[in-house]
Amino acid sequence: MSKSNRSGSVELSDLLCFDIYSAARAITRAYRPLLATLGLTYPQYLVMVALWESAPRTVKDLGESLELDSGTLSPLLKRLEAAGLVTRQRRRNDERTVEITPTPGGRALLRAAERVPTEMASLMGISGAEERKLRTILGRLTASLDRPADGAPAPKA
Amino acid sequence: MSKSNRSGSVELSDLLCFDIYSAARAITRAYRPLLATLGLTYPQYLVMVALWESAPRTVKDLGESLELDSGTLSPLLKRLEAAGLVTRQRRRNDERTVEITPTPGGRALLRAAERVPTEMASLMGISGAEERKLRTILGRLTASLDRPADGAPAPKA
DNA sequence: GACAATTAGATTGCGTGCTATAGAATTCAG
DNA sequence: CTGAATTCTATAGCACGCAATCTAATTGTC
């Protein structure tokens, strides 16, 4: 109730997309001061998380995990390399692929980064149940958007 | 259940923030082809939505509605002006403020834009109930992040 | 084995987001 | 009324995201 427009007009407060867009920016804003102590930006942090999970990883592999293409990753990885956190090396048996490996310094950063999720969690202030519900719905939404040939009802943009 | 890490490690799949970050980018990706027919980017579309709602609006007012500052809005508004969609005019009785008004062409764009929310809705493919739940949780999350002095339990970053 | 098609990354260009800074106009204090 | 603080906008600089394009390397086909 209360979200239909009288005429065919559009209103910001009706747009689900705007809530998600706002939330995403609120999150990166909240991360910024935490990550600044590590010398990382938010996307750089995500790349390091992926590398702490398993390494070495190719640029393509990182791109698939984070849904980022080389246009974004190449310069980002160069900055991480310049910061001394990763190395970039062509694979011997396939010179097209570049393998990204954390340096000892990059691996050491994990210890300082371990407190970040906990601190963010307390800033977000939602319950475990809400979090599960949120992730379920967002997962469906993202999957639906990434595969437009989808049979589903019609919510509100 | 199932989302705690054995040691103190961090994993991408554990990060709620990553789901929101992914969803936000999936949304702008999905909007892109729809908005391209209007000659707008996603943030430009949001600005026009705000202006279709009420006009003229000052830069500050738009910034508060969209949670964007002048560093983002000034160049964006200049591009909208260059595209012939808005005018920018200093207010007579307070030369500090700039009033943004849609041109006739900018107002006319509303008709072409009216189908956008409906098309996005069908792409997202979530139910009305899910949408309400999602917006409720996201609203709380964003509010909590924007006001760090908040007493709430501890979810997962 | 040569040659077309494919694949992996890098580069370019544009439009955000955001911080920091600056500049002009207005308001406030005394 | 005057100087200081405040407000509103613009600009500069940096780091994404993403489309488009390019190059080099590999694979597939004959």
Side-chain angles (χ1 to χ4, degrees), chain A residues 8 12-13 17 19 25 31 42 53 66-67 114 117 120-121 123-124 126 130 135 140 144 155 157, chain B residues 8 12-13 17 19 25 31 42 53 66-68 114 117 121 123-124 126 130 134-135 140 144 155 157:
Chain A
L12 258 194
S13 58
C17 66
D19 295 80
R25 284 189 296 121
Y31 265 104
Y42 177 64
E53 255 180 85
L66 303 172
E67 299 185 280
E114 274 165 0
M120 277 302 296
L123 286 178
M124 297 210 252
I126 63 176
E130 281 178 323
R135 299 186 60 182
R140 260 208 293 283
S144 175
Chain B
L12 258 194
S13 58
C17 66
D19 294 82
R25 284 190 296 121
Y31 265 103
Y42 177 63
E53 257 181 81
L66 303 173
E67 299 183 280
L68 292 172
E114 274 165 2
L123 287 178
M124 297 212 250
I126 63 174
E130 281 178 323
L134 181 51
R135 299 186 60 183
R140 261 209 293 283
S144 175

mmCIF file of all heavy atoms in Angstrom, chain A residues 8 12-13 17 19 25 31 42 53 66-67 114 117 120-121 123-124 126 130 135 140 144 155 157, chain B residues 8 12-13 17 19 25 31 42 53 66-68 114 117 121 123-124 126 130 134-135 140 144 155 157:
data_model
loop_
_atom_site.group_PDB
_atom_site.id
_atom_site.type_symbol
_atom_site.label_atom_id
_atom_site.label_comp_id
_atom_site.label_asym_id
_atom_site.label_seq_id
_atom_site.Cartn_x
_atom_site.Cartn_y
_atom_site.Cartn_z
ATOM 1 N N GLY A 8 1.035 8.717 -14.114
ATOM 2 C CA GLY A 8 2.112 7.816 -14.515
ATOM 3 C C GLY A 8 3.451 8.318 -14.042
ATOM 4 O O GLY A 8 4.482 7.878 -14.517
ATOM 5 N N LEU A 12 11.191 9.241 -6.551
ATOM 6 C CA LEU A 12 12.385 8.659 -5.956
ATOM 7 C C LEU A 12 12.032 7.679 -4.863
ATOM 8 O O LEU A 12 12.599 6.588 -4.780
ATOM 9 C CB LEU A 12 13.247 9.766 -5.335
ATOM 10 C CG LEU A 12 14.475 10.254 -6.085
ATOM 11 C CD1 LEU A 12 15.324 11.073 -5.138
ATOM 12 C CD2 LEU A 12 15.257 9.098 -6.650
ATOM 13 N N SER A 13 11.088 8.077 -4.015
ATOM 14 C CA SER A 13 10.766 7.245 -2.853
ATOM 15 C C SER A 13 10.109 5.929 -3.269
ATOM 16 O O SER A 13 9.975 5.026 -2.458
ATOM 17 C CB SER A 13 9.845 8.014 -1.914
ATOM 18 O OG SER A 13 8.677 8.400 -2.606
ATOM 19 N N CYS A 17 15.400 0.476 -6.461
ATOM 20 C CA CYS A 17 16.785 0.603 -6.894
ATOM 21 C C CYS A 17 17.499 1.685 -6.100
ATOM 22 O O CYS A 17 18.683 1.574 -5.797
ATOM 23 C CB CYS A 17 16.850 0.918 -8.375
ATOM 24 S SG CYS A 17 16.174 2.548 -8.794
ATOM 25 N N ASP A 19 16.983 2.568 -2.994
ATOM 26 C CA ASP A 19 17.331 2.070 -1.658
ATOM 27 C C ASP A 19 18.616 1.244 -1.723
ATOM 28 O O ASP A 19 19.463 1.317 -0.833
ATOM 29 C CB ASP A 19 16.202 1.209 -1.098
ATOM 30 C CG ASP A 19 14.942 2.016 -0.851
ATOM 31 O OD1 ASP A 19 14.197 2.273 -1.813
ATOM 32 O OD2 ASP A 19 14.724 2.407 0.301
ATOM 33 N N ARG A 25 26.230 2.795 -1.218
ATOM 34 C CA ARG A 25 27.140 3.907 -0.945
ATOM 35 C C ARG A 25 27.330 4.124 0.548
ATOM 36 O O ARG A 25 28.412 4.489 1.000
ATOM 37 C CB ARG A 25 26.656 5.170 -1.651
ATOM 38 C CG ARG A 25 26.983 5.090 -3.156
ATOM 39 C CD ARG A 25 26.736 6.389 -3.863
ATOM 40 N NE ARG A 25 25.332 6.735 -3.816
ATOM 41 C CZ ARG A 25 24.858 7.850 -3.277
ATOM 42 N NH1 ARG A 25 25.673 8.738 -2.775
ATOM 43 N NH2 ARG A 25 23.565 8.081 -3.271
ATOM 44 N N TYR A 31 32.922 1.758 5.374
ATOM 45 C CA TYR A 31 34.174 1.011 5.299
ATOM 46 C C TYR A 31 35.377 1.940 5.211
ATOM 47 O O TYR A 31 36.465 1.597 5.684
ATOM 48 C CB TYR A 31 34.195 0.117 4.049
ATOM 49 C CG TYR A 31 33.753 -1.312 4.269
ATOM 50 C CD1 TYR A 31 32.497 -1.732 3.858
ATOM 51 C CD2 TYR A 31 34.595 -2.229 4.878
ATOM 52 C CE1 TYR A 31 32.085 -3.049 4.053
ATOM 53 C CE2 TYR A 31 34.199 -3.536 5.068
ATOM 54 C CZ TYR A 31 32.943 -3.943 4.658
ATOM 55 O OH TYR A 31 32.551 -5.235 4.848
ATOM 56 N N TYR A 42 37.721 0.133 -0.764
ATOM 57 C CA TYR A 42 36.798 -0.983 -0.626
ATOM 58 C C TYR A 42 36.987 -2.049 -1.714
ATOM 59 O O TYR A 42 37.111 -3.243 -1.384
ATOM 60 C CB TYR A 42 35.353 -0.465 -0.588
ATOM 61 C CG TYR A 42 34.343 -1.561 -0.510
ATOM 62 C CD1 TYR A 42 34.287 -2.400 0.591
ATOM 63 C CD2 TYR A 42 33.445 -1.767 -1.547
ATOM 64 C CE1 TYR A 42 33.372 -3.424 0.658
ATOM 65 C CE2 TYR A 42 32.518 -2.789 -1.481
ATOM 66 C CZ TYR A 42 32.489 -3.620 -0.385
ATOM 67 O OH TYR A 42 31.579 -4.631 -0.328
ATOM 68 N N GLU A 53 41.674 -15.814 0.520
ATOM 69 C CA GLU A 53 40.946 -17.068 0.418
ATOM 70 C C GLU A 53 41.759 -18.113 -0.325
ATOM 71 O O GLU A 53 41.837 -19.262 0.082
ATOM 72 C CB GLU A 53 39.636 -16.828 -0.348
ATOM 73 C CG GLU A 53 38.392 -16.792 0.490
ATOM 74 C CD GLU A 53 37.167 -16.547 -0.390
ATOM 75 O OE1 GLU A 53 36.621 -17.519 -0.944
ATOM 76 O OE2 GLU A 53 36.767 -15.379 -0.522
ATOM 77 N N LEU A 66 34.558 -11.352 -8.460
ATOM 78 C CA LEU A 66 34.088 -10.036 -8.050
ATOM 79 C C LEU A 66 33.170 -9.396 -9.073
ATOM 80 O O LEU A 66 32.650 -8.306 -8.839
ATOM 81 C CB LEU A 66 35.285 -9.104 -7.808
ATOM 82 C CG LEU A 66 36.313 -9.589 -6.792
ATOM 83 C CD1 LEU A 66 37.528 -8.687 -6.792
ATOM 84 C CD2 LEU A 66 35.682 -9.597 -5.398
ATOM 85 N N GLU A 67 32.980 -10.056 -10.201
ATOM 86 C CA GLU A 67 32.189 -9.482 -11.286
ATOM 87 C C GLU A 67 32.762 -8.133 -11.733
ATOM 88 O O GLU A 67 32.049 -7.143 -11.852
ATOM 89 C CB GLU A 67 30.736 -9.344 -10.872
ATOM 90 C CG GLU A 67 30.106 -10.691 -10.537
ATOM 91 C CD GLU A 67 28.628 -10.579 -10.231
ATOM 92 O OE1 GLU A 67 28.272 -10.190 -9.106
ATOM 93 O OE2 GLU A 67 27.840 -10.874 -11.126
ATOM 94 N N GLU A 114 41.296 -8.643 10.086
ATOM 95 C CA GLU A 114 40.323 -9.559 10.666
ATOM 96 C C GLU A 114 39.272 -8.870 11.524
ATOM 97 O O GLU A 114 38.162 -9.369 11.661
ATOM 98 C CB GLU A 114 41.044 -10.643 11.480
ATOM 99 C CG GLU A 114 41.469 -11.803 10.597
ATOM 100 C CD GLU A 114 42.477 -12.707 11.278
ATOM 101 O OE1 GLU A 114 42.850 -12.433 12.430
ATOM 102 O OE2 GLU A 114 42.904 -13.686 10.638
ATOM 103 N N PRO A 117 35.386 -7.082 9.498
ATOM 104 C CA PRO A 117 34.007 -7.565 9.397
ATOM 105 C C PRO A 117 33.233 -7.402 10.707
ATOM 106 O O PRO A 117 32.051 -7.048 10.695
ATOM 107 C CB PRO A 117 34.171 -9.054 9.043
ATOM 108 C CG PRO A 117 35.503 -9.141 8.393
ATOM 109 C CD PRO A 117 36.360 -8.132 9.102
ATOM 110 N N MET A 120 32.307 -3.716 11.059
ATOM 111 C CA MET A 120 31.235 -3.366 10.125
ATOM 112 C C MET A 120 29.914 -3.945 10.599
ATOM 113 O O MET A 120 28.873 -3.285 10.527
ATOM 114 C CB MET A 120 31.569 -3.899 8.728
ATOM 115 C CG MET A 120 32.481 -3.001 7.938
ATOM 116 S SD MET A 120 31.808 -1.330 7.722
ATOM 117 C CE MET A 120 30.344 -1.696 6.752
ATOM 118 N N ALA A 121 29.973 -5.166 11.100
ATOM 119 C CA ALA A 121 28.749 -5.815 11.546
ATOM 120 C C ALA A 121 28.065 -4.985 12.622
ATOM 121 O O ALA A 121 26.849 -4.780 12.592
ATOM 122 C CB ALA A 121 29.070 -7.208 12.074
ATOM 123 N N LEU A 123 28.332 -1.844 13.060
ATOM 124 C CA LEU A 123 27.831 -0.586 12.493
ATOM 125 C C LEU A 123 26.504 -0.791 11.771
ATOM 126 O O LEU A 123 25.645 0.086 11.767
ATOM 127 C CB LEU A 123 28.842 0.006 11.518
ATOM 128 C CG LEU A 123 30.099 0.642 12.122
ATOM 129 C CD1 LEU A 123 31.026 1.132 11.014
ATOM 130 C CD2 LEU A 123 29.724 1.796 13.036
ATOM 131 N N MET A 124 26.353 -1.957 11.133
ATOM 132 C CA MET A 124 25.148 -2.170 10.327
ATOM 133 C C MET A 124 23.923 -2.345 11.204
ATOM 134 O O MET A 124 22.828 -1.942 10.819
ATOM 135 C CB MET A 124 25.335 -3.386 9.427
ATOM 136 C CG MET A 124 26.467 -3.162 8.439
ATOM 137 S SD MET A 124 26.244 -4.027 6.885
ATOM 138 C CE MET A 124 27.453 -5.288 7.019
ATOM 139 N N ILE A 126 21.913 -4.865 12.106
ATOM 140 C CA ILE A 126 20.729 -5.659 11.789
ATOM 141 C C ILE A 126 20.930 -7.046 12.384
ATOM 142 O O ILE A 126 22.046 -7.466 12.643
ATOM 143 C CB ILE A 126 20.448 -5.757 10.282
ATOM 144 C CG1 ILE A 126 21.575 -6.473 9.552
ATOM 145 C CG2 ILE A 126 20.229 -4.374 9.698
ATOM 146 C CD1 ILE A 126 21.292 -6.685 8.087
ATOM 147 N N GLU A 130 17.546 -10.977 9.970
ATOM 148 C CA GLU A 130 17.364 -9.985 8.911
ATOM 149 C C GLU A 130 18.453 -10.126 7.860
ATOM 150 O O GLU A 130 18.207 -10.006 6.660
ATOM 151 C CB GLU A 130 17.401 -8.573 9.501
ATOM 152 C CG GLU A 130 16.113 -8.146 10.164
ATOM 153 C CD GLU A 130 16.216 -6.768 10.771
ATOM 154 O OE1 GLU A 130 17.292 -6.427 11.311
ATOM 155 O OE2 GLU A 130 15.247 -6.016 10.700
ATOM 156 N N ARG A 135 20.087 -11.300 2.415
ATOM 157 C CA ARG A 135 20.976 -11.926 1.445
ATOM 158 C C ARG A 135 20.220 -12.850 0.512
ATOM 159 O O ARG A 135 20.552 -12.972 -0.663
ATOM 160 C CB ARG A 135 22.089 -12.671 2.177
ATOM 161 C CG ARG A 135 22.926 -11.708 3.024
ATOM 162 C CD ARG A 135 24.103 -12.404 3.644
ATOM 163 N NE ARG A 135 24.964 -12.946 2.607
ATOM 164 C CZ ARG A 135 26.057 -13.647 2.860
ATOM 165 N NH1 ARG A 135 26.403 -13.871 4.105
ATOM 166 N NH2 ARG A 135 26.785 -14.095 1.870
ATOM 167 N N ARG A 140 18.526 -13.491 -5.080
ATOM 168 C CA ARG A 140 17.551 -13.748 -6.138
ATOM 169 C C ARG A 140 17.475 -12.583 -7.107
ATOM 170 O O ARG A 140 17.422 -12.766 -8.321
ATOM 171 C CB ARG A 140 16.167 -13.994 -5.518
ATOM 172 C CG ARG A 140 15.796 -15.453 -5.409
ATOM 173 C CD ARG A 140 14.296 -15.668 -5.461
ATOM 174 N NE ARG A 140 13.591 -15.124 -4.300
ATOM 175 C CZ ARG A 140 13.565 -15.694 -3.103
ATOM 176 N NH1 ARG A 140 14.202 -16.817 -2.919
ATOM 177 N NH2 ARG A 140 12.896 -15.156 -2.114
ATOM 178 N N SER A 144 18.391 -12.661 -11.005
ATOM 179 C CA SER A 144 17.354 -12.355 -11.981
ATOM 180 C C SER A 144 17.820 -11.263 -12.947
ATOM 181 O O SER A 144 17.593 -11.346 -14.152
ATOM 182 C CB SER A 144 16.097 -11.907 -11.246
ATOM 183 O OG SER A 144 15.099 -11.503 -12.157
ATOM 184 N N PRO A 155 7.651 -6.701 -9.487
ATOM 185 C CA PRO A 155 7.686 -5.801 -8.343
ATOM 186 C C PRO A 155 7.749 -4.356 -8.831
ATOM 187 O O PRO A 155 7.156 -4.009 -9.833
ATOM 188 C CB PRO A 155 8.976 -6.182 -7.646
ATOM 189 C CG PRO A 155 9.845 -6.693 -8.756
ATOM 190 C CD PRO A 155 8.943 -7.253 -9.817
ATOM 191 N N ALA A 157 10.356 -1.045 -9.755
ATOM 192 C CA ALA A 157 11.741 -0.653 -10.031
ATOM 193 C C ALA A 157 12.315 0.156 -8.904
ATOM 194 O O ALA A 157 13.484 0.372 -8.863
ATOM 195 C CB ALA A 157 11.828 0.138 -11.309
ATOM 196 N N GLY B 8 40.227 -17.070 11.980
ATOM 197 C CA GLY B 8 39.770 -15.687 11.928
ATOM 198 C C GLY B 8 39.738 -15.169 10.508
ATOM 199 O O GLY B 8 39.675 -13.977 10.283
ATOM 200 N N LEU B 12 34.881 -13.884 0.945
ATOM 201 C CA LEU B 12 33.971 -13.069 0.144
ATOM 202 C C LEU B 12 32.530 -13.498 0.352
ATOM 203 O O LEU B 12 31.641 -12.662 0.525
ATOM 204 C CB LEU B 12 34.303 -13.240 -1.336
ATOM 205 C CG LEU B 12 35.086 -12.141 -2.047
ATOM 206 C CD1 LEU B 12 34.990 -12.357 -3.538
ATOM 207 C CD2 LEU B 12 34.576 -10.773 -1.665
ATOM 208 N N SER B 13 32.308 -14.802 0.356
ATOM 209 C CA SER B 13 30.938 -15.304 0.424
ATOM 210 C C SER B 13 30.297 -15.026 1.775
ATOM 211 O O SER B 13 29.092 -15.178 1.941
ATOM 212 C CB SER B 13 30.925 -16.808 0.150
ATOM 213 O OG SER B 13 31.763 -17.464 1.084
ATOM 214 N N CYS B 17 28.113 -7.138 2.749
ATOM 215 C CA CYS B 17 28.397 -5.946 1.956
ATOM 216 C C CYS B 17 28.597 -6.297 0.500
ATOM 217 O O CYS B 17 28.214 -5.551 -0.388
ATOM 218 C CB CYS B 17 29.625 -5.231 2.487
ATOM 219 S SG CYS B 17 31.140 -6.183 2.301
ATOM 220 N N ASP B 19 27.200 -8.698 -1.207
ATOM 221 C CA ASP B 19 25.908 -8.934 -1.853
ATOM 222 C C ASP B 19 25.249 -7.618 -2.237
ATOM 223 O O ASP B 19 24.634 -7.506 -3.305
ATOM 224 C CB ASP B 19 24.983 -9.712 -0.903
ATOM 225 C CG ASP B 19 25.489 -11.111 -0.629
ATOM 226 O OD1 ASP B 19 26.381 -11.258 0.239
ATOM 227 O OD2 ASP B 19 25.024 -12.036 -1.277
ATOM 228 N N ARG B 25 25.495 -2.961 -8.467
ATOM 229 C CA ARG B 25 26.066 -2.899 -9.815
ATOM 230 C C ARG B 25 25.213 -3.653 -10.816
ATOM 231 O O ARG B 25 25.095 -3.250 -11.973
ATOM 232 C CB ARG B 25 27.502 -3.402 -9.802
ATOM 233 C CG ARG B 25 28.436 -2.340 -9.208
ATOM 234 C CD ARG B 25 29.898 -2.677 -9.376
ATOM 235 N NE ARG B 25 30.224 -3.873 -8.632
ATOM 236 C CZ ARG B 25 30.721 -4.979 -9.177
ATOM 237 N NH1 ARG B 25 30.971 -5.020 -10.464
ATOM 238 N NH2 ARG B 25 30.986 -6.011 -8.428
ATOM 239 N N TYR B 31 19.837 -1.117 -15.784
ATOM 240 C CA TYR B 31 19.258 0.153 -16.199
ATOM 241 C C TYR B 31 19.913 0.693 -17.467
ATOM 242 O O TYR B 31 19.283 1.379 -18.261
ATOM 243 C CB TYR B 31 19.447 1.213 -15.102
ATOM 244 C CG TYR B 31 18.274 1.367 -14.163
ATOM 245 C CD1 TYR B 31 18.303 0.836 -12.885
ATOM 246 C CD2 TYR B 31 17.135 2.072 -14.552
ATOM 247 C CE1 TYR B 31 17.241 0.980 -12.011
ATOM 248 C CE2 TYR B 31 16.065 2.232 -13.693
ATOM 249 C CZ TYR B 31 16.124 1.682 -12.415
ATOM 250 O OH TYR B 31 15.062 1.832 -11.562
ATOM 251 N N TYR B 42 22.471 6.334 -15.010
ATOM 252 C CA TYR B 42 21.611 6.058 -13.871
ATOM 253 C C TYR B 42 21.544 7.231 -12.878
ATOM 254 O O TYR B 42 20.436 7.650 -12.499
ATOM 255 C CB TYR B 42 22.059 4.762 -13.187
ATOM 256 C CG TYR B 42 21.272 4.431 -11.969
ATOM 257 C CD1 TYR B 42 19.909 4.169 -12.056
ATOM 258 C CD2 TYR B 42 21.870 4.419 -10.717
ATOM 259 C CE1 TYR B 42 19.175 3.887 -10.923
ATOM 260 C CE2 TYR B 42 21.137 4.127 -9.588
ATOM 261 C CZ TYR B 42 19.790 3.870 -9.698
ATOM 262 O OH TYR B 42 19.063 3.600 -8.571
ATOM 263 N N GLU B 53 9.604 15.271 -9.913
ATOM 264 C CA GLU B 53 8.796 15.313 -8.707
ATOM 265 C C GLU B 53 8.474 16.747 -8.318
ATOM 266 O O GLU B 53 7.345 17.074 -7.999
ATOM 267 C CB GLU B 53 9.573 14.657 -7.551
ATOM 268 C CG GLU B 53 9.140 13.262 -7.190
ATOM 269 C CD GLU B 53 9.965 12.736 -6.024
ATOM 270 O OE1 GLU B 53 9.655 13.076 -4.864
ATOM 271 O OE2 GLU B 53 10.927 12.013 -6.292
ATOM 272 N N LEU B 66 19.389 12.936 -2.866
ATOM 273 C CA LEU B 66 20.120 11.818 -3.460
ATOM 274 C C LEU B 66 21.336 11.416 -2.647
ATOM 275 O O LEU B 66 22.025 10.463 -3.001
ATOM 276 C CB LEU B 66 20.571 12.192 -4.884
ATOM 277 C CG LEU B 66 19.460 12.613 -5.843
ATOM 278 C CD1 LEU B 66 20.053 13.124 -7.141
ATOM 279 C CD2 LEU B 66 18.557 11.423 -6.127
ATOM 280 N N GLU B 67 21.615 12.158 -1.587
ATOM 281 C CA GLU B 67 22.818 11.918 -0.795
ATOM 282 C C GLU B 67 24.079 12.007 -1.666
ATOM 283 O O GLU B 67 24.942 11.140 -1.617
ATOM 284 C CB GLU B 67 22.751 10.565 -0.080
ATOM 285 C CG GLU B 67 21.576 10.499 0.870
ATOM 286 C CD GLU B 67 21.539 9.196 1.645
ATOM 287 O OE1 GLU B 67 21.077 8.179 1.087
ATOM 288 O OE2 GLU B 67 21.996 9.216 2.803
ATOM 289 N N LEU B 68 24.136 13.067 -2.450
ATOM 290 C CA LEU B 68 25.321 13.331 -3.263
ATOM 291 C C LEU B 68 25.766 14.749 -2.965
ATOM 292 O O LEU B 68 24.947 15.627 -2.705
ATOM 293 C CB LEU B 68 24.989 13.215 -4.758
ATOM 294 C CG LEU B 68 24.657 11.821 -5.276
ATOM 295 C CD1 LEU B 68 24.153 11.881 -6.704
ATOM 296 C CD2 LEU B 68 25.880 10.922 -5.163
ATOM 297 N N GLU B 114 8.467 6.897 -18.360
ATOM 298 C CA GLU B 114 7.459 6.262 -17.506
ATOM 299 C C GLU B 114 7.462 4.749 -17.586
ATOM 300 O O GLU B 114 7.073 4.063 -16.648
ATOM 301 C CB GLU B 114 6.062 6.805 -17.838
ATOM 302 C CG GLU B 114 5.770 8.084 -17.067
ATOM 303 C CD GLU B 114 4.586 8.840 -17.620
ATOM 304 O OE1 GLU B 114 3.965 8.361 -18.583
ATOM 305 O OE2 GLU B 114 4.283 9.926 -17.078
ATOM 306 N N PRO B 117 10.389 2.203 -14.879
ATOM 307 C CA PRO B 117 10.198 1.448 -13.636
ATOM 308 C C PRO B 117 9.488 0.124 -13.872
ATOM 309 O O PRO B 117 9.839 -0.895 -13.251
ATOM 310 C CB PRO B 117 9.328 2.384 -12.786
ATOM 311 C CG PRO B 117 9.607 3.742 -13.311
ATOM 312 C CD PRO B 117 9.817 3.570 -14.783
ATOM 313 N N ALA B 121 11.076 -3.424 -13.038
ATOM 314 C CA ALA B 121 10.374 -4.293 -12.094
ATOM 315 C C ALA B 121 10.313 -5.716 -12.626
ATOM 316 O O ALA B 121 10.566 -6.674 -11.894
ATOM 317 C CB ALA B 121 8.973 -3.748 -11.852
ATOM 318 N N LEU B 123 12.297 -7.090 -14.703
ATOM 319 C CA LEU B 123 13.633 -7.676 -14.739
ATOM 320 C C LEU B 123 14.065 -8.173 -13.362
ATOM 321 O O LEU B 123 14.770 -9.167 -13.236
ATOM 322 C CB LEU B 123 14.657 -6.659 -15.243
ATOM 323 C CG LEU B 123 14.636 -6.327 -16.741
ATOM 324 C CD1 LEU B 123 15.678 -5.271 -17.061
ATOM 325 C CD2 LEU B 123 14.891 -7.584 -17.564
ATOM 326 N N MET B 124 13.666 -7.452 -12.326
ATOM 327 C CA MET B 124 14.126 -7.805 -10.980
ATOM 328 C C MET B 124 13.491 -9.096 -10.504
ATOM 329 O O MET B 124 14.116 -9.870 -9.775
ATOM 330 C CB MET B 124 13.823 -6.681 -10.008
ATOM 331 C CG MET B 124 14.573 -5.406 -10.382
ATOM 332 S SD MET B 124 15.024 -4.411 -8.969
ATOM 333 C CE MET B 124 13.951 -3.036 -9.171
ATOM 334 N N ILE B 126 11.164 -9.996 -8.258
ATOM 335 C CA ILE B 126 10.884 -10.361 -6.871
ATOM 336 C C ILE B 126 9.451 -9.956 -6.564
ATOM 337 O O ILE B 126 8.884 -9.089 -7.217
ATOM 338 C CB ILE B 126 11.861 -9.718 -5.862
ATOM 339 C CG1 ILE B 126 11.737 -8.202 -5.880
ATOM 340 C CG2 ILE B 126 13.285 -10.138 -6.134
ATOM 341 C CD1 ILE B 126 12.573 -7.538 -4.816
ATOM 342 N N GLU B 130 8.445 -9.498 -0.926
ATOM 343 C CA GLU B 130 9.900 -9.476 -0.800
ATOM 344 C C GLU B 130 10.427 -8.059 -0.934
ATOM 345 O O GLU B 130 11.348 -7.655 -0.230
ATOM 346 C CB GLU B 130 10.530 -10.363 -1.886
ATOM 347 C CG GLU B 130 10.491 -11.839 -1.577
ATOM 348 C CD GLU B 130 11.081 -12.666 -2.697
ATOM 349 O OE1 GLU B 130 10.893 -12.309 -3.885
ATOM 350 O OE2 GLU B 130 11.738 -13.673 -2.396
ATOM 351 N N LEU B 134 12.663 -6.220 1.764
ATOM 352 C CA LEU B 134 13.975 -5.740 1.367
ATOM 353 C C LEU B 134 14.143 -4.267 1.700
ATOM 354 O O LEU B 134 15.149 -3.853 2.299
ATOM 355 C CB LEU B 134 14.135 -5.979 -0.140
ATOM 356 C CG LEU B 134 15.439 -5.594 -0.815
ATOM 357 C CD1 LEU B 134 16.622 -6.181 -0.069
ATOM 358 C CD2 LEU B 134 15.438 -6.070 -2.270
ATOM 359 N N ARG B 135 13.148 -3.464 1.348
ATOM 360 C CA ARG B 135 13.274 -2.025 1.570
ATOM 361 C C ARG B 135 13.286 -1.701 3.057
ATOM 362 O O ARG B 135 13.962 -0.778 3.491
ATOM 363 C CB ARG B 135 12.158 -1.297 0.844
ATOM 364 C CG ARG B 135 12.232 -1.539 -0.669
ATOM 365 C CD ARG B 135 11.227 -0.712 -1.419
ATOM 366 N NE ARG B 135 11.464 0.701 -1.191
ATOM 367 C CZ ARG B 135 10.694 1.660 -1.682
ATOM 368 N NH1 ARG B 135 9.652 1.365 -2.403
ATOM 369 N NH2 ARG B 135 10.990 2.915 -1.428
ATOM 370 N N ARG B 140 16.732 0.313 7.388
ATOM 371 C CA ARG B 140 17.311 0.267 8.736
ATOM 372 C C ARG B 140 18.835 0.230 8.657
ATOM 373 O O ARG B 140 19.530 0.919 9.405
ATOM 374 C CB ARG B 140 16.810 -0.980 9.473
ATOM 375 C CG ARG B 140 15.671 -0.700 10.428
ATOM 376 C CD ARG B 140 15.653 -1.687 11.601
ATOM 377 N NE ARG B 140 15.332 -3.043 11.197
ATOM 378 C CZ ARG B 140 14.108 -3.460 10.919
ATOM 379 N NH1 ARG B 140 13.086 -2.620 10.981
ATOM 380 N NH2 ARG B 140 13.885 -4.710 10.561
ATOM 381 N N SER B 144 21.332 3.010 10.057
ATOM 382 C CA SER B 144 22.284 2.641 11.090
ATOM 383 C C SER B 144 23.709 3.035 10.686
ATOM 384 O O SER B 144 24.485 3.550 11.493
ATOM 385 C CB SER B 144 22.207 1.146 11.342
ATOM 386 O OG SER B 144 23.191 0.738 12.267
ATOM 387 N N PRO B 155 25.397 -8.097 13.393
ATOM 388 C CA PRO B 155 25.273 -9.046 12.288
ATOM 389 C C PRO B 155 26.650 -9.351 11.708
ATOM 390 O O PRO B 155 27.624 -9.415 12.442
ATOM 391 C CB PRO B 155 24.420 -8.286 11.275
ATOM 392 C CG PRO B 155 24.740 -6.849 11.531
ATOM 393 C CD PRO B 155 25.121 -6.742 12.984
ATOM 394 N N ALA B 157 29.538 -8.442 8.653
ATOM 395 C CA ALA B 157 29.892 -7.432 7.665
ATOM 396 C C ALA B 157 29.695 -7.961 6.264
ATOM 397 O O ALA B 157 29.778 -7.253 5.323
ATOM 398 C CB ALA B 157 31.333 -7.009 7.851
#
